Amino acid sequence: MVLAALFAICMQGLFATLDDNQPTWTMENSLIGVNPGLGFRPISPRTEEGSLIWYNITNQTTINKWVKLADEFLKPYKEPQTGENFVNCNFDKPPGPNQVCITSVNQLGNCHPSKKYGFNSSSPCVFLKLNRIYGWKPDFYTTPLEDMPDGLKQHIKTRQGEEKKQIWVTCNGINDFDKENIRGFNYHPRGFASYYYPYKNPKNYLSPIIGVEIVNITHKSSESVP
Ligand SMILES: *[C@@H]1O[C@H](CO)[C@@H](O)[C@H](O)[C@H]1NC(C)=O
Ligand SMILES: *[C@@H]1O[C@H](CO)[C@@H](O)[C@H](O)[C@H]1NC(C)=O
Ligand SMILES: *[C@@H]1O[C@H](CO)[C@@H](O)[C@H](O)[C@H]1NC(C)=O
Ligand SMILES: *[C@@H]1O[C@H](CO)[C@@H](O)[C@H](O)[C@H]1NC(C)=O
């Protein structure tokens, strides 16, 4: 029997900064701040539970709760994205004006709906998403920073050309107890790709998402933002 409890997914380091060359911010933007906030799902609708995610792996009711919440969140990503202004994007082929990138659940690996987002196992997933800011254009860390985790440094080094242009995120347990009880994190995909930016509010736009798989939680664990 495993009881897995998570407190707030971590976002230690959102490795992106603002482009200084952008024209002045609108009032709306300055209220949000210079960088978009990073949010995660699923979150319990019961506010007293805060951002805690917990389930008992031997009790299907507690699993289904999170699966259902994730289902709702990912609904637009599960719908067919064909025709209209949808295009397949990659780093060498960004969308044209008024086109949007197909952003499907198929890039979610072990965080795929068919795998119950990992909630039917000891490696559940949470989904990260950046808030939209009109016109926001990230600067990318295309070479590793000293304080990035080794795995990420390696990942960046081995990307080719345009593929280095991603907003990298990394997660950590908040304390030693967590670190002992979590094997690590897998990211599906590893970053938010450059071709989603700048956001100009085209019709049908879907924000990129990252499924973070929290690998083999052995017991109660928590993660948070430092
Ligand atoms: C998990 O659920 C099982 C039965 O479904 C129950 O026996 C057990 O006590 C529960 N564990 C916790 C920690 O709530
Ligand atoms: C499973 O969890 C639900 C919700 O917490 C609870 O109402 C139910 O009694 C639990 N079932 C078992 C078999 O423990
Ligand atoms: C959840 O996992 C259990 C044990 O691995 C399996 O028997 C069950 O079919 C799975 N349920 C779903 C809905 O995938
Ligand atoms: C996680 O647990 C599964 C099942 O117990 C095991 O097969 C797998 O090797 C583990 N992964 C890691 C990274 O420890």
Side-chain angles (χ1 to χ4, degrees):
M1 170 186 43
V2 180
L3 175 74
L6 315 174
F7 170 74
I9 187 76
C10 59
M11 305 120 205
Q12 189 215 4
L14 169 59
F15 297 115
T17 57
L18 258 193
D19 186 346
D20 288 327
N21 301 322
Q22 278 294 100
T24 47
W25 295 96
T26 68
M27 193 60 177
E28 257 163 48
N29 289 339
S30 58
L31 287 176
I32 299 171
V34 283
N35 275 334
L38 181 64
F40 81 95
R41 291 287 184 281
I43 285 181
S44 171
R46 297 173 57 208
T47 46
E48 67 273 22
E49 285 181 34
S51 53
L52 182 80
I53 294 175
W54 79 267
Y55 64 97
N56 179 340
I57 204 161
T58 64
N59 181 335
Q60 203 64 40
T61 312
T62 64
I63 291 174
N64 290 345
K65 168 186 166 170
W66 300 107
V67 171
K68 194 158 161 275
L69 287 166
D71 275 341
E72 280 164 27
F73 173 66
L74 293 172
K75 196 161 170 261
Y77 298 89
K78 288 195 267 188
E79 278 169 4
Q81 299 167 31
T82 50
E84 294 201 60
N85 57 345
F86 288 108
V87 290
N88 276 308
C89 303
N90 61 49
F91 287 95
D92 298 318
K93 198 166 140 287
N98 298 316
Q99 292 185 328
V100 292
C101 297
I102 292 172
T103 306
S104 100
V105 290
N106 292 334
Q107 48 170 5
L108 294 176
N110 288 340
C111 300
H112 193 272
S114 65
K115 302 198 168 180
K116 300 270 164 207
Y117 316 105
F119 279 95
N120 198 22
S121 76
S122 54
S123 302
C125 294
V126 296
F127 299 92
L128 306 181
K129 188 173 166 179
L130 291 168
N131 293 331
R132 294 176 188 182
I133 297 181
Y134 185 85
W136 184 66
K137 193 163 169 280
D139 272 348
F140 299 101
Y141 286 97
T142 54
T143 51
L145 296 181
E146 193 54 44
D147 59 357
M148 285 180 179
D150 289 342
L152 179 56
K153 283 181 186 167
Q154 195 55 33
H155 184 84
I156 296 173
K157 275 186 206 150
T158 53
R159 293 313 94 189
Q160 301 298 318
E162 289 294 303
E163 249 191 278
K164 289 181 190 283
K165 293 188 181 167
Q166 299 188 49
I167 299 169
W168 310 110
V169 297
T170 185
C171 295
N172 266 313
I174 36 176
N175 53 37
D176 289 345
F177 183 79
D178 292 348
K179 284 169 190 159
E180 260 166 41
N181 285 286
I182 295 173
R183 270 296 138 75
F185 300 89
N186 290 330
Y187 306 84
H188 311 281
R190 192 62 193 78
F192 298 107
S194 56
Y195 48 77
Y196 285 92
Y197 302 98
Y199 164 64
K200 292 279 177 67
N201 196 23
K203 190 176 171 223
N204 297 321
Y205 179 87
L206 282 175
S207 299
I209 45 172
I210 296 176
V212 180
E213 180 188 356
I214 304 156
V215 182
N216 284 0
I217 299 173
T218 49
H219 217 82
K220 285 183 168 189
S221 311
S222 56
E223 302 103 68
S224 193
V225 197

